Amino acid sequence: MAIMHLSDNDIQAYLDMIHNGLPADTRIVQHLENCKICQEHLTQYSRLYEILAVDKGYELSPGFVDGVVAAAMPESASERVNIWGTILLVAGFCLGLGVTAFFIDLRMLVLRTVESFKLFLLSINDILNYDTWAVVPKHHLDMYLLTGIILLFVSVGDKILFRLKKNHYCL
Amino acid sequence: MEDDKKLIARILCGEKEAFTCFVKKYQKLVSHVVFRLVRNETDREDICQDIFIKIYRNLGTFRYDSKLSTWIASIAHNTCLHYLEKKRVPLYEDLTDTETTLSIEQVAETGRTIIDAVISRDIGRCVRKEIDNLPHLLGLLVALYHLEEMSYEEIAGITRLPMGTVKSYLYRARKQLKTQLMNTYLLEDIWQ
């Protein structure tokens, strides 16, 4: 009757079990105790496992680490967080501007602002005087108030998001 | 894992020193993946650098669902695949042959290098030479299992291959390595 020796896969599976600290198949253990050929086979594979585990691998050039850090870090994490803040701020500004443009004739607004500025230059008293504001129709003042509230809301939201993002990164 | 968490938090706060530690800690893993898959020596370090930059940019998205080393190896593996695709280098085609066939010149060249290495008792170098003769993917699997001590499951996750396939490829790689080493040497130096 022909003796059935362990295959390469059996021996490797056995070594993997040992390598991972798992109990080996008793059938394989029993066979290895009695079979010289498979023992030799096992020794060769064991040696191969040892050699493979101590391979030092490939060496990267000495300046590699510094090169990587220099390439990756000019844009630091805190700057990245600031970018988010800036994006939100710009978005808030655009939103505010959009809402204003939707409700108000911007050209008129600019003209009135310039007018007000001229008046301001002429006399601070004119600015403090409520009559100057009377130039702007009453319902437009409501729009200014609405725009101001929206901008305030966006900027507060931006601050909260900025803080949350920063806390998330810098636990 | 806790150390990695702290290290990542420091990097995300912009600490250069922390990122330097990180690169030093994981450069071996990245180089194992890259050097096994990419044979073009001039491109290897650039690819390693690209991988670390990619890792740095995506570090904030790492959710600790897997080990950090597995995540890094996945990025390295994907970057290499992308590079090989761009260069039209087949990664899996060379797996169809069960044994690597070398030309007479290659055998002579390999043999000479290995004999030199054995004489100088640099066993690691000659084994590495043999691993270089394996198909790319098999070399990578050997590196991840034996050098990075990853499990079959982790390797399957990185390479996106079924676990059974990873196992059978590794069995094949080791068998091939053993045969090549036994054919090349009288083996006293290696096996004793």
Side-chain angles (χ1 to χ4, degrees):
Chain A
M1 190 178 122
I3 301 166
M4 289 292 286
H5 291 295
L6 296 175
S7 68
D8 287 87
N9 288 5
D10 287 336
I11 290 176
Q12 289 186 52
Y14 170 77
L15 282 171
D16 283 342
M17 291 294 216
I18 292 174
H19 186 78
N20 297 316
L22 298 167
D25 187 342
T26 46
R27 183 185 62 88
I28 293 177
V29 177
Q30 279 172 2
H31 181 86
L32 282 168
E33 279 171 5
N34 303 314
C35 178
K36 292 271 179 210
I37 294 169
C38 289
Q39 277 174 17
E40 194 183 330
H41 214 175
L42 177 70
T43 310
Q44 289 169 352
Y45 267 114
S46 303
R47 183 74 182 119
L48 180 69
Y49 272 56
E50 281 170 26
I51 293 167
L52 291 175
V54 294
D55 179 12
K56 285 178 194 153
Y58 299 89
E59 294 290 326
L60 291 161
S61 62
F64 175 77
V65 177
D66 292 336
V68 168
V69 175
M73 293 295 263
E75 175 209 354
S76 70
S78 56
E79 281 166 354
R80 273 194 290 158
V81 174
N82 280 337
I83 286 168
W84 274 106
T86 313
I87 290 169
L88 283 170
L89 205 66
V90 171
F93 179 76
C94 292
L95 185 70
L97 205 65
V99 170
T100 311
F102 184 76
F103 287 109
I104 300 166
D105 181 358
L106 271 183
R107 196 172 146 271
M108 282 295 290
L109 184 67
V110 171
L111 285 173
R112 297 217 184 275
T113 310
V114 171
E115 210 172 293
S116 295
F117 189 65
K118 275 181 188 167
L119 288 170
F120 171 75
L121 290 175
L122 286 171
S123 166
I124 294 171
N125 283 337
D126 284 350
I127 295 291
L128 295 173
N129 185 356
Y130 183 75
D131 289 345
T132 311
W133 287 94
V135 176
V136 185
K138 181 82 173 69
H139 68 279
H140 279 193
L141 283 174
D142 296 343
M143 289 302 113
Y144 295 150
L145 192 64
L146 178 69
T147 311
I149 290 168
I150 289 169
L151 283 173
L152 187 72
F153 179 75
V154 169
S155 64
V156 169
D158 164 57
K159 284 283 168 207
I160 293 167
L161 277 173
F162 176 73
R163 189 138 301 186
L164 284 174
K165 198 90 183 166
K166 197 170 181 183
N167 287 344
H168 172 71
Y169 277 145
C170 309
L171 290 168
Chain B
M1 188 64 118
E2 279 306 309
D3 287 347
D4 282 338
K5 268 189 182 175
K6 281 179 192 164
L7 192 63
I8 290 173
R10 283 173 56 208
I11 295 168
L12 292 172
C13 284
E15 267 189 52
K16 275 195 178 184
E17 214 174 282
F19 189 56
T20 307
C21 287
F22 180 89
V23 177
K24 280 182 184 166
K25 188 174 175 185
Y26 290 105
Q27 63 175 340
K28 217 167 194 181
L29 168 63
V30 170
S31 69
H32 279 148
V33 177
V34 174
F35 281 59
R36 292 283 188 238
L37 292 178
V38 177
R39 297 287 157 93
N40 185 338
E41 288 181 17
T42 50
D43 289 347
R44 284 168 166 178
E45 278 211 15
D46 289 343
I47 296 170
C48 288
Q49 181 163 329
D50 286 350
I51 290 165
F52 274 112
I53 291 171
K54 238 182 226 180
I55 290 168
Y56 175 73
R57 286 187 182 149
N58 292 291
L59 213 48
T61 65
F62 179 58
R63 293 282 167 259
Y64 302 94
D65 300 333
S66 60
K67 276 163 76 178
L68 182 60
S69 54
T70 312
W71 184 70
I72 291 170
S74 298
I75 292 177
H77 179 254
N78 291 341
T79 309
C80 289
L81 285 195
H82 185 67
Y83 165 86
L84 295 172
E85 258 174 38
K86 236 167 61 180
K87 296 273 174 184
R88 296 175 190 278
V89 178
L91 180 64
Y92 294 93
E93 269 179 23
D94 52 359
L95 288 170
T96 49
D97 294 330
T98 46
E99 301 291 330
T100 310
T101 45
L102 300 174
S103 68
I104 293 170
E105 290 79 11
Q106 276 177 308
V107 170
E109 174 59 30
T110 310
R112 256 201 311 281
T113 321
I114 288 168
I115 289 163
D116 291 345
V118 171
I119 289 167
S120 65
R121 302 194 66 78
D122 188 356
I123 307 298
R125 191 151 66 96
C126 52
V127 173
R128 197 180 308 152
K129 194 83 196 161
E130 290 298 341
I131 295 172
D132 283 345
N133 288 333
L134 288 175
H136 297 66
L137 187 65
L138 298 192
L140 172 68
L141 300 184
V142 168
L144 292 179
Y145 187 87
H146 288 282
L147 297 175
E148 296 301 330
E149 296 189 336
M150 287 184 175
S151 64
Y152 287 125
E153 202 177 354
E154 285 169 329
I155 298 172
I158 292 163
T159 55
R160 292 189 201 150
L161 289 170
M163 210 161 81
T165 310
V166 170
K167 241 183 207 182
S168 79
Y169 280 172
L170 253 171
Y171 286 172
R172 193 202 295 185
R174 291 190 201 112
K175 188 180 173 185
Q176 205 168 312
L177 272 176
K178 189 169 97 57
T179 313
Q180 294 275 43
L181 287 167
M182 292 189 79
N183 288 344
T184 317
Y185 311 106
L186 287 173
L187 298 180
E188 282 79 8
D189 275 332
I190 291 245
W191 304 111
Q192 299 307 312

